Amino acid sequence: SQQGEEDPQALSIQEGENATMNCSYKTSINNLQWYRQNSGRGLVHLILIRSNEREKHSGRLRVTLDTSKKSSSLLITASRAADTASYFCATDANDDMRFGAGTRLTVKP
Amino acid sequence: DVKVTQSSRYLVKRTGEKVFLECVQDMDHENMFWYRQDPGLGLRLIYFSYDVKMKEKGDIPEGYSVSREKKERFSLILESASTNQTSMYLCASSQGVNGNTIYFGEGSWLTVV
C-alpha cells in the first residue's frame, strides 16, 4: 500500500510565487525523501530528511518534517516555469520505498 | 553518475503474450525495484530484490514475476499480458534503502492490445 499521500493533487501558480506541497504518512519512518518527475520521465531525487531532523534546505527547496503528525512539507521558493513537474514523497519504513500519488505542480510564466 | 537503463521505452504487445522488461544499473547497487505508475495512483511497488537471485513481493505482484540472475540486471516478466497491465513501468536501484537515494530509469510505456 502507498505509505505517503501528497496534498494537493494539483497546484497551479504564477512564476515567482512559492509552492507548498504536503505529504502525510501512516507508520513510523527512518527517512523521508522528495522526488521530482518531469512528464513521461523517471523520477529524480531532490532531498532527504531523516526522522531526527525537523527542517532541511537545498537551494530553493525547503523541507520540513513533523514526526508527531506524520507529515512533511516541500516548499519551492521563487518558482520558475521549469519547476513544472510532479513531486512525490517517499518513505522507507520497511526496507523498501513507498511513494505517494504525487502533486502535479504547474508554474505559469 | 548512476545510470539505470530500461531496454525499451515504448512497447505494444498483444493480450496473452509473454513480455520481458529489462533493466540494467551500472553502480553495483544491491537493491533493485520495479514500480508501476498509473494516473492518480502514483507509483506502486511490484517487486524488489536485495541481492542476486533474491526477490520480494511488493504491493501488486499478481500477474508479474521477476528475475535477477546478475547483480546489475533485474527483469520484469508478464507471463500472459492483459489489457489492465497497460501502464508505465519504472525500474530503480539503490545501495541499500535506509537513507539512500533511489535512482530511476526513464520508464517503459507498455500498451497491451
Side-chain angles (χ1 to χ4, degrees), chain B residues 73-93:
Chain B
R73 188 179 298 270
F74 193 35
S75 303
L76 180 68
I77 303 156
L78 288 68
E79 294 290 342
S80 178
S82 63
T83 55
N84 62 13
Q85 292 178 310
T86 291
S87 186
M88 179 169 180
Y89 291 87
L90 288 162
C91 175
S93 73

Side-chain angles (χ1 to χ4, degrees), chain A residues 1-2 9 30-31 33 35 37 39-45 48 50 88 92-102, chain B residues 9 31 33 35 37 40-45 48 50 58-59 88 90 97-107 109:
Chain A
S1 60
Q2 287 177 338
Q9 290 186 340
N30 299 312
N31 306 281
Q33 303 185 39
Y35 286 77
Q37 183 183 35
S39 183
R41 309 300 290 272
L43 279 72
V44 176
H45 179 259
L48 175 149
R50 301 188 186 281
F88 295 84
D92 58 357
N94 299 309
D95 294 331
D96 55 42
M97 291 293 285
R98 292 293 200 273
F99 289 79
Chain B
R9 189 87 170 99
N31 293 358
F33 308 84
Y35 293 90
Q37 184 174 23
L41 296 178
L43 278 73
R44 292 181 289 169
L45 183 63
F48 59 102
Y50 292 133
D59 297 321
M88 179 169 180
L90 288 162
V97 176
N98 290 342
N100 290 307
T101 299
I102 288 192
Y103 296 88
F104 282 84
E106 288 292 285
W109 291 89

Side-chain angles (χ1 to χ4, degrees), chain B residues 4-15:
Chain B
V4 178
T5 303
Q6 294 184 229
S7 58
S8 302
R9 189 87 170 99
Y10 300 97
L11 305 94
V12 179
K13 298 291 182 181
R14 295 190 182 281
T15 300

